[in-house]
Amino acid sequence: MIILASGGFKVSNKITFSFIFVIGLMLFALFFGAGNLIFPPMLGQMAGTNVWIANAGFLVTGVGLPLLAIIAFVFSGEEDLRSLTSRVHPLFGVVFTTVLYLSVGPFFAIPRSGNVSFEIGVKPFLSGYQGTLPLLIFTIIFFTVACLFSLNPAKIVDVVGKCLTPIKLTFIGVLVVVALIHPMGGFQAPSKEYSSHVFFKGFQEGYLTLDALVAFAFGIIIVKAFKEKGVTTKQQIMTVCLKATVVAATLLALIYTALSYMGASSVNKLGHLDNGAEVLAKVSSYYFGSYGAIFLGLMITVACLTTSVGLITACSSFFHELFPTVSYKKIAIILSVFSALVANIGLDRLISISVPVLTIMYPLAIIMIFLTFFHKLFKEQSEVYKGSLLLTFIVSLIDGLRHSNIHLPFVDGFLSHYLPLYEIGLGWVIPAVVGGILGGMISRIKTKEQVNYKSTRLNK
């Protein structure tokens, strides 16, 4: 995830293809950060001969949902995420937004940037050294630099992001083309996790990109970029947004699919590796030798640094707004130190810890996306939001506990037997619909009671 500012030309009444293409590239840069590179290769390694089905599921949540979230935010007309989620209740708006920023910030995404940099840029050159000291030293340096840039981020993020994205894409493009032309070997048998319900396993793997949550958090950036370029009316913004998302979605889908293929074809030569960062590093070394590994490591490290600066800046701004008595600089320093500490648990463990949290958060985000589109249809009734999100949360919480190995045998057994789609991680779908319907019924009853009460008062 890279926060890429936009500059340049204005548009008047006519929206040109070149303008739409530029916005599409900006959307692509927003979602395609260095961290996103690690998940498709790992999915490919584990899915093996089932890679195409798994990849299709991954594209739904890794590409489709983030871009749908951007469209939903633009469609809502709200100023920021807190305003949008306050449609449920003001308290929910604060809590949900806070948890989301913590997830895309110091709990997962920011530390992950440091981890990915270390795994690709440093670890391959340690000659099998297994100690924790190199990671500690690297994260101290990495997050110190990120913190210093975050205190004055505007030019650094813009310049580095604009320069680095084309270079990164060129190298990754060359890498995947070489892997396609000269594959390491054929696909192997899938791992146990990908032997059944393959599409839905890939669907849940897409959660790990965090991009649907990021789309909500940074949707305002896209709207501001549109307005700065002269797109002001809601109809124009929606038109540009829809067309630009097609550009971004096409690029993301092509790259993710190619990376999945690369991972699936690498098992024959590299064996099963621990994480996607290691896959990427070893594939690069296999094709381009030590020079390729060095270049990839440097490029990914700078890309991750840019991502960290953008995320620290965004999260610090949000928490400063939430707690205005605490300065932006203090919050940026606290987030950087905390992220460095979290990063030292290691990439594998960080990803495993994030899975239960994202299993809970993503269904809520998905429901918010769809309710935003139907907001006018159910006459803006907050009870619809409350009912749908409450039942979604209950089921996704149980599912999240299951992913963290906290089993509730009776509840698990009951839901597995009676709740459709629960076994494939989508047990929240039907409860979400039922909750929305019940919320709508409660809202109508309340409205009817208020009308009757007013009528009684008038008759008196």
Side-chain angles (χ1 to χ4, degrees):
M1 297 165 288
I2 291 181
I3 310 307
L4 187 61
S6 61
F9 54 88
K10 300 274 185 183
V11 285
S12 52
N13 294 326
K14 188 177 180 181
I15 300 172
T16 64
F17 173 77
S18 60
F19 170 72
I20 291 170
F21 189 72
V22 167
I23 294 296
L25 289 179
M26 185 179 71
L27 276 171
F28 169 80
L30 173 66
F31 292 119
F32 190 72
N36 300 56
L37 285 169
I38 67 176
F39 298 113
M42 196 62 198
L43 177 144
Q45 276 223 328
M46 297 179 71
T49 52
N50 290 333
V51 63
W52 303 125
I53 301 173
N55 182 70
F58 182 88
L59 294 182
V60 172
T61 45
V63 178
L65 278 181
L67 297 175
L68 196 62
I70 288 287
I71 295 170
F73 184 86
V74 172
F75 181 80
S76 74
E78 298 288 356
E79 294 183 358
D80 52 37
L81 176 64
R82 188 174 169 184
S83 300
L84 177 60
T85 51
S86 290
R87 289 177 172 181
V88 185
H89 189 277
L91 180 60
F92 178 84
V94 173
V95 173
F96 183 83
T97 308
T98 300
V99 173
L100 186 144
Y101 269 101
L102 289 173
S103 298
V104 302
F107 281 6
F108 303 125
I110 298 175
R112 189 176 73 188
S113 295
N115 286 136
V116 171
S117 299
F118 177 79
E119 290 281 341
I120 296 178
V122 177
K123 192 175 178 180
F125 305 100
L126 294 179
S127 301
Y129 180 77
Q130 299 297 320
T132 57
L133 184 60
L135 177 60
L136 177 62
I137 295 171
F138 179 84
T139 51
I140 290 173
I141 297 171
F142 182 91
F143 287 107
T144 298
V145 175
C147 181
L148 291 174
F149 284 161
S150 298
L151 300 180
N152 188 19
K155 291 185 178 179
I156 297 295
V157 176
D158 191 25
V159 172
V160 175
K162 282 183 176 179
C163 293
L164 188 67
T165 298
I167 298 172
K168 179 178 67 177
L169 285 179
T170 300
F171 185 80
I172 295 300
V174 170
L175 185 61
V176 296
V177 167
V178 171
L180 287 170
I181 296 173
H182 302 289
M184 292 184 181
F187 298 166
Q188 305 297 304
S191 63
K192 184 180 178 181
E193 295 93 328
Y194 283 87
S195 58
S196 62
H197 305 309
V198 180
F199 177 88
F200 298 104
K201 177 62 179 173
F203 184 95
Q204 289 188 305
E205 283 294 300
Y207 292 178
L208 296 174
T209 64
L210 294 168
D211 281 347
L213 304 184
V214 168
F216 268 130
F218 297 119
I220 188 61
I221 293 175
I222 304 301
V223 175
K224 284 182 178 179
F226 290 159
K227 291 181 178 179
E228 284 174 5
K229 288 178 179 287
V231 182
T232 54
T233 68
K234 186 174 180 179
Q235 184 178 356
Q236 276 188 323
I237 292 174
M238 280 299 299
T239 300
V240 174
C241 188
L242 287 168
K243 293 180 179 179
T245 53
V246 173
V247 175
T250 302
L251 290 171
L252 287 168
L254 286 173
I255 291 179
Y256 285 154
T257 301
L259 288 170
S260 295
Y261 170 83
M262 187 178 72
S265 61
S266 70
V267 177
N268 191 45
K269 291 286 185 183
L270 304 179
H272 287 282
L273 302 175
D274 292 334
N275 56 66
E278 192 176 0
V279 176
L280 202 61
K282 291 198 173 183
V283 169
S284 180
S285 295
Y286 176 84
Y287 285 115
F288 303 119
S290 58
Y291 292 108
I294 291 170
F295 181 75
L296 177 67
L298 288 172
M299 182 184 62
I300 293 298
T301 299
V302 180
C304 285
L305 183 65
T306 310
T307 300
S308 295
V309 173
L311 291 173
I312 291 170
T313 302
C315 292
S316 299
S317 299
F318 169 74
F319 287 113
H320 175 58
E321 184 182 332
L322 202 60
F323 306 105
T325 55
V326 185
S327 70
Y328 167 87
K329 289 187 176 181
K330 284 184 179 178
I331 294 173
I333 293 170
I334 291 169
L335 293 181
S336 300
V337 172
F338 185 82
S339 297
L341 293 173
V342 174
N344 276 274
I345 69 176
L347 182 59
D348 296 338
R349 194 173 177 192
L350 180 62
I351 291 173
S352 67
I353 291 172
S354 70
V355 170
V357 178
L358 297 178
T359 301
I360 297 169
M361 285 290 294
Y362 251 78
L364 296 175
I366 293 170
I367 294 304
M368 276 301 305
I369 291 171
F370 285 99
L371 289 178
T372 300
F373 287 119
F374 296 126
H375 184 64
K376 297 291 184 182
L377 188 63
F378 56 78
K379 299 178 181 178
E380 306 177 11
Q381 298 163 342
S382 66
E383 287 82 4
V384 174
Y385 283 97
K386 291 173 185 175
S388 186
L389 289 166
L390 176 60
L391 294 191
T392 299
F393 175 72
I394 291 171
V395 177
S396 60
L397 175 62
I398 295 168
D399 205 18
L401 291 174
R402 184 174 58 164
H403 278 86
S404 60
N405 293 321
I406 301 174
H407 292 286
L408 305 172
F410 172 75
V411 177
D412 245 5
F414 179 83
L415 293 179
S416 296
H417 189 71
Y418 291 104
L419 184 61
L421 308 177
Y422 180 72
E423 282 299 310
I424 58 176
L426 295 175
W428 49 270
V429 173
I430 292 176
V433 175
V434 172
I437 294 171
L438 291 175
M441 292 170 63
I442 291 170
S443 179
R444 286 188 178 184
I445 292 169
K446 282 185 177 180
T447 303
K448 190 174 181 180
E449 287 178 349
Q450 289 172 356
V451 170
N452 290 337
Y453 176 75
K454 289 179 181 179
S455 177
T456 304
R457 290 285 299 265
L458 289 172
N459 290 334
K460 287 182 179 179

